Amino acid sequence: MIKFAEFFVITIFTDNHIMKPTLLLLAAGMGSRYGGLKQLDGLGPNGETIMDYSIYDAIKAGFGKIVFVIRKDFEQDFRDKILSKYEGHIPAELVFQSLDCLPEGFSVPEGRVKPWGTNHAVMMAAKTIKEPFCVINCDDFYNRDAFMVIGKFLADLPEGCKNKYAMVGFRVGNTLSENGTVARGICSKDENENLTTVVERTEIMRVNGPICYKDEQGEWVPVDDNTPVSMNMWGFTPDYFDYSEAYFKEFLSDPKNMQNLKAEFFIPLMVNKLINEKTATVRVLDTTSKWFGVTYAADRPSVVEKIQSLINEGVYPEELF
């Protein structure tokens, strides 16, 4: 079993809707390319963050609880600016990701400072989430249709359902930044709309017209604008935590992952294993949503403008909470 160092839960508000899906928000990222804690950056007219809009959309889509994964070092700032505003609107809980949250018998390699990755962050909620849940990034604006689509998928799962997961597939052409490369999971699917592969590509951008990603050899490979990509908007059931814990031990047992101080336990790594071994299926859910976000500081003015346009159109109120 993993020893959850510095693990505790803060319950802000509770109700009886325990079978509604939960929204798990990954907010432990360093924000290095943006130059600060972009999760806490006020982009709406009253200082609303991107995650505020995600939570507002999730409530509209029928989610019953939110859980944040954050770093311990900005807990107080997070409490002051974020958690208090949701009281009375939706139950909210808080868990921490830290480097030393490892299975027994493993320790942090000397010199490692980088977090263990998105799937490690998901694992921090294993003791907190007992119902179907959706995973998202806190700094991505997914748009309401995406929450409606995955919320319905999760709510429609039979009680106790296992091994049937989902991913919202955005078109890569709708997910780029004008100010540099982005990281996306390039996806392929079968005739039943089930995911067959997802490969994390950390550098994607337009190169002289076509969209390209940089492969392992450093070459730019073109992809069609409509290629589905993962924006880390996944739908899982609690059995996913057990698979993750078992595979994380394999990941840590591989010497190259311990020697590489930047090796990460990505969600697509876990998902690919489950797909390849035919343990689980992952339905690729289509959405009309167009993503936007603040990968770089230069993205900020455009995001502020887009949010204000949605308010002007009546999609969101001037003040969310």
Side-chain angles (χ1 to χ4, degrees):
M1 294 290 291
I2 284 188
K3 295 180 293 185
F4 287 88
E6 294 195 282
F7 177 95
F8 65 89
V9 172
I10 302 163
T11 301
I12 300 217
F13 177 80
T14 59
D15 63 18
N16 295 320
H17 302 298
I18 59 173
M19 292 314 295
K20 287 185 176 182
T22 287
L23 184 65
L24 178 61
L25 300 102
L26 306 185
M30 299 292 288
S32 57
R33 284 186 289 189
Y34 184 64
L37 294 179
K38 58 183 173 178
Q39 296 92 345
L40 304 183
D41 192 8
L43 300 167
N46 295 286
E48 292 88 354
T49 64
I50 282 182
M51 73 179 88
D52 288 333
Y53 289 95
S54 291
I55 291 166
Y56 184 87
D57 285 340
I59 293 171
K60 292 287 187 183
F63 284 78
K65 181 175 72 175
I66 53 178
V67 178
F68 294 95
V69 185
I70 71 165
R71 297 197 320 273
K72 179 71 173 174
D73 62 302
F74 65 93
E75 176 191 359
Q76 193 58 53
D77 206 14
F78 200 90
R79 284 176 185 261
D80 295 342
K81 293 184 178 180
I82 303 298
L83 286 185
S84 59
K85 71 180 72 175
Y86 306 127
E87 186 171 2
H89 295 283
I90 189 169
E93 300 185 4
L94 184 65
V95 298
F96 300 111
Q97 182 184 21
S98 62
L99 282 176
D100 58 355
C101 287
L102 298 174
E104 288 188 31
F106 294 93
S107 58
V108 180
E110 184 178 354
R112 181 167 184 121
V113 295
K114 189 176 183 63
W116 289 105
T118 52
N119 209 62
H120 181 255
V122 170
M123 293 167 64
M124 299 304 98
K127 294 182 179 180
T128 307
I129 297 177
K130 307 300 180 186
E131 57 281 318
F133 64 100
C134 170
V135 179
I136 66 167
N137 297 329
C138 277
D139 52 356
D140 289 315
F141 194 103
Y142 293 99
N143 230 310
R144 187 169 305 158
D145 182 71
F147 287 96
M148 291 292 185
V149 165
I150 199 161
K152 183 179 188 306
F153 175 89
L154 295 172
D156 287 347
L157 290 174
E159 187 172 353
C161 182
K162 296 181 178 181
N163 304 325
K164 291 187 177 181
Y165 309 143
M167 183 205 83
V168 177
F170 289 75
R171 295 169 179 84
V172 67
N174 291 337
T175 71
L176 302 181
S177 167
E178 297 176 357
N179 298 296
T181 61
V182 294
R184 303 286 181 260
I186 300 287
C187 303
S188 58
K189 56 185 179 179
D190 63 20
E191 65 278 3
N192 296 316
E193 300 298 311
N194 288 325
L195 188 68
T196 53
T197 60
V198 54
V199 180
E200 189 77 12
R201 299 296 182 182
T202 56
E203 294 184 73
I204 302 176
M205 66 184 299
R206 288 198 183 274
V207 180
N208 299 322
I211 299 172
C212 301
Y213 66 82
K214 187 176 285 188
D215 67 11
E216 292 81 359
Q217 287 71 46
E219 300 292 327
W220 288 104
V221 179
V223 293
D224 186 84
D225 281 34
N226 291 320
T227 299
V229 296
S230 164
M231 297 300 304
N232 258 356
M233 193 174 204
W234 301 91
F236 298 121
T237 45
D239 51 297
Y240 184 80
F241 294 122
D242 295 329
Y243 296 129
S244 295
E245 182 173 333
Y247 192 38
F248 191 42
K249 292 177 183 177
E250 291 185 35
F251 177 90
L252 295 173
S253 298
D254 187 334
K256 74 174 188 294
N257 290 329
M258 295 299 275
Q259 293 164 6
N260 179 1
L261 299 181
K262 294 186 177 181
E264 293 187 62
F265 190 43
F266 289 122
I267 293 172
L269 190 67
M270 183 74 254
V271 168
N272 274 331
K273 177 180 174 65
L274 295 174
I275 292 172
N276 293 336
E277 295 179 352
K278 301 190 184 305
T279 301
T281 58
V282 179
R283 180 68 56 85
V284 179
L285 305 174
D286 190 31
T287 179
T288 59
S289 292
K290 291 186 178 181
W291 168 94
F292 58 85
V294 281
T295 306
Y296 301 92
D299 293 329
R300 191 182 188 282
S302 174
V303 171
V304 171
E305 182 179 331
K306 288 173 181 175
I307 289 175
Q308 188 59 53
S309 294
L310 290 169
I311 292 171
N312 294 343
E313 294 168 13
V315 177
Y316 298 104
E318 278 280 339
E319 189 168 354
L320 293 179
F321 300 104

